Amino acid sequence: MRSIGVIGTTALFLLMGFTASANGRQEKQEEKDKPAKQEQQAKPERQQQAKRQQEQQHKQQQQQAKSQQDQQRQQQRRQQDDSAKQQQQDKSAKQEQQQQAKGQRDEQRQQRHQRQNDRSAHQRTPEQIHTQQVAWQGDRARSWQSEHRTWQQRGGYNGYRVPDDRFRSYYGQDHGFRIYRLPVIYVGGHRHFQYGGYWFGLIDPWPEYWSNDWYDRDDVYVDYYGDGYYLYNRRYPGDRIAISFYLN
C-alpha cells in the first residue's frame, strides 16, 4: 500500500511538471506571437496613414498646379491689356497727328483767304465803304438789352453743331478775326459770314452803342456758352450776339 502511495505521489509530481512545462511553453509561444499580432494590428493604421499622406500630397500638387495656371492666366491678361492699351495709345496719337496736320492745312488755307480778303478790303472805294455802313445800320438795335435774346430764351439751339476738333481749331477766345475780311451774304433777313469752313449768321441785332464800323475795326470771336453759339466783341466782352451755324 505504501508503494502505491509513493507511485501516486510521483505520478502527481510528474503530471504537475508536465502541466507547468506545457503552460510555460504556451506562455512563451504567446510571447512570441504577441509582436506579430501587434504588427498585424498596426499594419492597417500605417496603410491608412500612408494613404492620407498620399492624398494630401496629391491635393497640394493640384493646388500648386492650379496656382500656376492662375498666374499664367493673369500674366496673359496683363499682356493682352498692355497690348490693347498700347494699340489704343498708338491709334490716339495717330489721330491726333492727323488732326494737327489737317488743322495746319486748314489754318494755312484760311490765312491765304484772309490775305486775299485783306487786299480786297483795302481796295474798297469810299462809296463801297459808305454802302456797307448803310447796310449794317439796318442790323443795329435801338435798345439791345430789350431786343436781344439768348438761346435759352429762344427755346435752345437747334442748328448745326461744329465738331469739337474743328471748333477748337478755329473758334474760341484764342481765334479772333475781323468780319470785313470774310465773305458776307444776306439771307433771310440775317447776315451770314464764312469763317473756319462754315457759314454762320447773326440772329440778334448788334448793340446800338457799338461803333459804326465795329465789323471793320473790332476783333471778334465765336464761342459756345451754356446753351448755344455766340459772337463776342473783344471791345465789349460783356455782350454776346446769338448766332447759328450752317453747312452752306
Side-chain angles (χ1 to χ4, degrees), residues 8-23:
T9 301
T10 302
L12 179 60
F13 284 127
L14 289 172
L15 180 60
M16 291 175 62
F18 290 148
T19 301
S21 177
N23 290 336

Side-chain angles (χ1 to χ4, degrees), residues 141-152:
R142 294 179 179 174
S143 177
W144 188 73
Q145 293 298 330
S146 60
E147 292 179 30
H148 91 284
R149 289 183 297 165
T150 65
W151 277 113
Q152 184 177 7

Side-chain angles (χ1 to χ4, degrees), residues 136-203:
W136 275 97
Q137 291 302 313
D139 298 326
R140 189 173 194 168
R142 294 179 179 174
S143 177
W144 188 73
Q145 293 298 330
S146 60
E147 292 179 30
H148 91 284
R149 289 183 297 165
T150 65
W151 277 113
Q152 184 177 7
Q153 292 171 331
R154 295 174 184 274
Y157 181 79
N158 296 317
Y160 178 79
R161 294 184 179 273
V162 181
D164 290 342
D165 58 338
R166 185 78 177 185
F167 189 88
R168 289 192 296 267
S169 297
Y170 292 99
Y171 305 103
Q173 296 184 21
D174 296 333
H175 300 280
F177 57 91
R178 294 188 179 181
I179 291 179
Y180 78 84
R181 298 178 176 180
L182 309 177
V184 180
I185 59 176
Y186 203 71
V187 179
H190 301 290
R191 290 191 181 275
H192 289 204
F193 311 91
Q194 189 181 41
Y195 175 73
Y198 297 98
W199 287 90
F200 63 89
L202 302 182
I203 307 302

